């Protein structure tokens, strides 16, 4: 379906309802802008100019400019191409696309709401044995809508563990908005991060927003996997294929076990408070102990940095600090000096450098 639309020159051109063809924009970007500048700088070019002839260098570019209404033949100079003020054309081209984009976003949101309602009805009415014994496999397009539906249905408690130390700021901002809305509904919410998250400004902003709304956030030195638990009846855990899959668990015994694991981690974790200097000292000590443990156990830098929730560069900085602390020039010397300190594995936090000669 197409409609007629007047151009600045008064002529009518066909414009599809779906908007301008990508080919036209490609021609505009490739040569059209260059030709437009050429015509504007020269005050116009003759129609007979070989560069805009049928086989000329700018033939396709001229067709794109003419289609968009960016060049014209004035009555006083019918044999000359002149430019048209782009501002008079922009609204005709861009505004319909913007309006269509807004319409599609609204339409997609309504479809998402409809499918959320369908998912909710299915989960409430389908017996567990038909849902795979309380286990549901989710693939990437399904994961976030499924989680959003669980958040919408959550009645009294949400437990989350987020091992990523540097989540995307835009994602965190949107998450903070959703979590604050959940808390305002009276749902209790607790979140676990790794200690490294304390150095991430966007995460700190998230913690401030959620804490003000009534949520609790703590950090832990240990590595853990992502988990979401809603109302102690359903848990979302990572699938076998990383971020592309997830598993929804509704089997009561398994969910209860996961809640117990979460609670044990929560008890060992430190409150996320930037103003608490004593907690920050404890966190620094635990990260130091964890780094010592990674070195003693012989983990590679990528594996060790992942377990601490930091980048390989940051982990290398931790190791460098330990070298300075123990007076070692190499990692081999560092391992030797750590051994001399008689630091037991279960008391790494008390390990001290040996006396310096």
């Amino acid at each position: 379906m197409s409609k007629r639309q007047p151009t600045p020159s008064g002529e009518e051109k066909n414009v599809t309802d779906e908007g301008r063809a990508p080919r036209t924009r490609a021609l505009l970007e490739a040569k059209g802008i260059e030709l437009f500048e050429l015509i504007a700088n020269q005050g116009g070019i003759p129609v007979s100019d070989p560069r805009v002839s049928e086989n000329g260098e700018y033939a396709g570019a001229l067709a794109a400019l003419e289609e968009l209404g960016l060049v014209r033949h004035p009555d006083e100079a019918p044999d000359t191409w002149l430019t048209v003020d782009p501002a008079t054309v922009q609204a005709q081209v861009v505004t319909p696309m913007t309006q269509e984009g807004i319409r599609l976003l609204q339409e997609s949101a309504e479809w998402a709401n409809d499918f959320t309602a369908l998912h909710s009805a299915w989960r409430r009415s389908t017996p567990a044995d038909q849902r795979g014994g309380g286990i549901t496999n989710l693939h990437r397009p399904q994961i976030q809508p499924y989680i959003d539906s669980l958040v919408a249905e959550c009645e009294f408690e949400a437990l989350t563990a987020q091992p990523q130390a540097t989540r995307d700021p835009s994602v965190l901002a949107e998450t903070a908005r959703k979590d604050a809305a959940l808390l305002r509904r009276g749902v209790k919410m607790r979140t676990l991060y790794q200690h490294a998250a304390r150095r991430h400004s966007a995460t700190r902003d998230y913690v401030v927003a959620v804490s003000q709304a009534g949520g609790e956030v703590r950090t832990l030195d240990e590595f853990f996997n992502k988990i979401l638990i809603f109302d102690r009846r359903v848990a979302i855990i990572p699938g076998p294929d990383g971020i592309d899959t997830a598993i929804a668990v509704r089997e009561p015994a398994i969910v209860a076990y996961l809640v117990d694991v979460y609670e044990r981690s929560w008890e060992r974790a430190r409150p996320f408070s930037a103003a608490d200097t004593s907690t920050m000292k404890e966190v620094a000590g635990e990260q130091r102990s964890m780094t010592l443990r990674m070195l003693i156990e012989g983990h590679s830098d990528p594996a060790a940095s992942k377990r601490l929730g930091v980048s390989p560069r940051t982990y290398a900085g931790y190791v460098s600090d330990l070298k300075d602390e123990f007076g070692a020039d190499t990692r081999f010397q560092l391992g030797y000096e750590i051994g001399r300190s008689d630091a037991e594995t279960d008391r790494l936090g008390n390990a001290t450098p040996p006396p310096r000669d």
Side-chain angles (χ1 to χ4, degrees):
M1 181 177 178
S2 63
K3 58 185 178 180
R4 305 291 289 179
Q5 179 174 298
T7 67
S9 62
E11 298 177 355
E12 289 186 333
K13 292 187 179 291
N14 286 327
V15 180
T16 63
D17 289 336
E18 290 77 15
R20 301 284 176 176
R23 176 179 174 277
T24 301
R25 182 170 53 80
L27 287 170
L28 179 66
E29 293 174 351
K31 285 287 188 178
I33 295 175
E34 182 180 333
L35 176 59
F36 186 91
E37 292 177 346
L38 176 65
I39 298 173
N41 291 337
Q42 294 186 5
I45 64 172
V47 173
S48 59
D49 191 307
R51 292 173 295 181
V52 296
S53 63
E54 183 176 352
N55 298 317
E57 175 186 1
Y58 294 111
L62 178 65
L65 293 178
E66 187 179 13
E67 179 184 341
L68 293 169
L70 288 168
V71 292
R72 64 186 180 91
H73 299 298
D75 293 337
E76 63 275 14
D79 296 330
T80 302
W81 287 112
L82 296 178
T83 56
V84 173
D85 183 356
T88 64
V89 180
Q90 180 176 346
Q92 298 177 38
V93 175
V94 177
T95 300
M97 295 180 184
T98 303
Q99 292 172 343
E100 179 65 9
I102 293 172
R103 186 192 69 78
L104 288 173
L105 285 173
Q106 293 173 338
E107 182 75 11
S108 66
E110 291 171 3
W111 275 107
N113 290 335
D114 291 341
F115 275 101
T116 297
L118 291 172
H119 282 302
S120 300
W122 181 81
R123 284 196 302 273
R124 288 193 299 267
S125 62
T126 305
D129 58 354
Q130 295 182 28
R131 296 196 301 261
I135 304 295
T136 302
N137 292 300
L138 303 171
H139 296 282
R140 172 166 281 218
Q142 304 168 306
I143 297 174
Q144 193 56 52
Y146 194 95
I147 293 174
D148 289 342
S149 69
L150 293 176
V151 171
E153 295 172 7
C154 191
E155 296 178 353
F156 65 88
E157 182 186 59
L159 308 175
T160 71
Q162 302 284 356
Q164 305 99 318
T166 55
R167 298 170 69 194
D168 184 86
S170 62
V171 173
L172 274 172
E174 178 63 15
T175 301
R177 184 189 66 79
K178 291 180 179 179
D179 291 350
L182 186 68
L183 289 160
R184 285 194 294 269
R185 283 173 26 213
V187 175
K188 294 182 179 180
M189 183 173 185
R190 286 182 282 161
T191 299
L192 269 176
Y193 281 103
Q194 286 183 270
H195 285 334
R198 294 173 181 267
R199 295 185 174 87
H200 189 229
S201 60
T203 303
R204 291 197 298 269
D205 293 340
Y206 164 84
V207 172
V208 170
V210 171
S211 299
Q212 290 177 346
E216 294 183 76
V217 184
R218 294 185 181 183
T219 64
L220 194 64
D221 61 331
E222 300 173 11
F223 174 76
F224 50 84
N225 281 320
K226 181 175 183 177
I227 188 171
L228 309 172
I229 306 174
F230 298 95
D231 291 339
R232 304 196 173 209
R233 64 180 180 83
V234 58
I236 306 294
I237 61 176
D241 299 322
I243 62 174
D244 291 326
T245 59
I247 297 175
V249 181
R250 290 179 176 274
E251 176 59 43
I254 299 177
V255 174
Y257 174 82
L258 293 172
V259 170
D260 181 64
V261 171
Y262 186 94
E263 293 290 3
R264 291 171 186 272
S265 297
W266 181 262
E267 290 301 319
R268 296 195 305 273
R270 307 288 184 182
F272 197 142
S273 174
D276 190 345
T277 55
S278 62
T279 298
M280 291 304 297
K281 289 181 180 178
E282 292 171 348
V283 166
E286 288 175 357
Q287 285 189 303
R288 173 184 176 276
S289 298
M290 191 69 171
T291 303
L292 283 167
R293 175 182 164 188
M294 294 297 99
L295 288 168
I296 290 172
E297 293 179 358
H299 293 284
S300 66
D301 282 13
S305 61
K306 181 179 180 181
R307 291 181 69 86
L308 269 76
V310 299
S311 69
R313 178 177 294 183
T314 299
Y315 176 75
Y318 291 171
V319 175
S320 178
D321 290 342
L322 286 173
K323 286 180 182 178
D324 292 341
E325 180 182 344
F326 282 84
D329 295 324
T330 66
R331 289 201 182 191
F332 180 81
Q333 289 177 324
L334 176 59
Y336 174 76
E337 295 297 344
I338 292 174
R340 285 184 60 197
S341 71
D342 294 325
E344 299 178 9
T345 303
D346 59 350
R347 296 175 57 199
L348 286 174
N350 297 323
T352 55
R356 300 292 295 273
D357 296 333

